[in-house]
Amino acid sequence: MNPTMQAVSVIVDNLQAELNRLKKLIKANTAEDDPIDPKDPRNKSGVNLTPRGVEIVFRYFDTKKTRHAVKELMGIPFGAADYRYQQWLKAGGKDRIKQPLQ
C-alpha cells in the first residue's frame, strides 16, 4: 500500500471510530443512560472547564462515577477531577441544586 493510501486509511479509521462514539451517544440518549457527551467542545475553553463542563462533571459524580472515571471521560488531569469532586461535595453532593446545561 502506498503512503497516500495509508494516510487515507488512517483518516477513514478515525472517522469510523468517531461515528461509533456518536452512535453510542444516540443509543444512550434513547435509553436515558448517559445523554451527556463528555467530549463536547462546549465543555472546555482551552484547558479549563466551562460552567457547562463543571456541571457535567458534577452530574457524573451524581451518578457515582469516580474521579478517575471523570478524568478519563472529560480528558482532564486527576488533580482537576479531585478539585471538582471537593467542589461537588461543598455544593451538597448529590443533593446539590443542578444547573441547566446551556
Side-chain angles (χ1 to χ4, degrees):
M1 189 181 289
N2 68 43
T4 304
M5 291 302 292
Q6 287 177 341
V8 169
S9 178
V10 168
I11 291 169
V12 168
D13 290 343
N14 289 340
L15 288 171
Q16 187 62 49
E18 185 64 15
L19 284 172
N20 290 339
R21 184 181 73 81
L22 292 172
K23 285 179 184 178
K24 286 180 185 177
L25 285 172
I26 290 169
K27 284 182 183 178
N29 280 338
T30 59
E32 293 296 313
D33 291 336
D34 186 15
I36 300 170
D37 180 4
K39 302 295 184 187
D40 189 316
R42 296 175 294 173
N43 298 341
K44 284 179 147 182
S45 176
V47 296
N48 298 315
L49 290 172
T50 62
R52 182 181 196 280
V54 172
E55 178 61 23
I56 288 171
V57 166
F58 285 4
R59 289 185 186 191
Y60 280 131
F61 290 140
D62 290 345
T63 62
K64 299 184 181 181
K65 295 261 191 267
T66 66
R67 290 170 283 177
H68 289 286
V70 170
K71 166 194 171 295
E72 292 298 320
L73 286 165
M74 297 296 291
I76 59 176
F78 178 79
D82 184 55
Y83 173 77
R84 295 300 176 186
Y85 180 75
Q86 299 303 323
Q87 294 296 306
W88 175 75
L89 289 175
K90 286 181 185 175
K94 192 169 174 120
D95 297 325
R96 70 185 175 80
I97 298 172
K98 288 186 179 181
Q99 302 301 312
L101 294 177
Q102 288 110 1

